[in-house]
Amino acid sequence: GGGGGGGGPQFNADPNSVTETIMCEGAEGRIIGKGGQHIRAIMERTGARVKVFSDRHVCEITGAPHAVAAAAQIVNDQIADLAAGGQGAGLTPQLGGGVGGGGGDG
């Protein structure tokens, strides 16, 4: 079982802090990486906090706007690479499942 969530933000809460939520179904393992090393690398490189909620298939990125944008770019690249057949992990077709909503162009 996972540990409980912490209390309020102990780090210096940036008043300009933003949160972006990205659907990452099937790509959770790729975003987290072996032993969590990839998600740690994203956080170190961008300065944003990245959390993956496997039960909800979402990736939550929090931090300064530029940090969140940089981390979101990396996460979206991972998802796109997976969708393009990078590793093909976790891409099991679900019976009767339709394709998810299309993203906007640009």
Side-chain angles (χ1 to χ4, degrees):
Q10 285 95 344
F11 61 101
N12 292 333
D14 184 343
N16 301 319
S17 179
V18 298
T19 300
E20 181 164 341
T21 304
I22 297 171
M23 293 303 295
C24 62
E25 189 162 4
E28 296 94 339
R30 172 174 283 222
I31 294 163
I32 294 166
K34 193 171 185 173
Q37 65 190 42
H38 195 242
I39 197 166
R40 272 201 305 275
I42 296 172
M43 290 192 275
E44 281 170 25
R45 194 165 0 149
T46 64
R49 285 163 62 106
V50 183
K51 277 182 175 161
V52 173
F53 298 94
S54 298
D55 54 336
R56 289 187 282 145
H57 307 295
V58 296
C59 177
E60 199 177 86
I61 305 168
T62 311
H66 67 275
V68 170
Q73 177 71 53
I74 296 170
V75 169
N76 281 317
D77 284 350
Q78 291 299 317
I79 296 167
D81 184 55
L82 185 74
Q87 293 281 317
L91 287 179
T92 50
Q94 263 139 5
L95 233 67
V99 176
D105 288 346

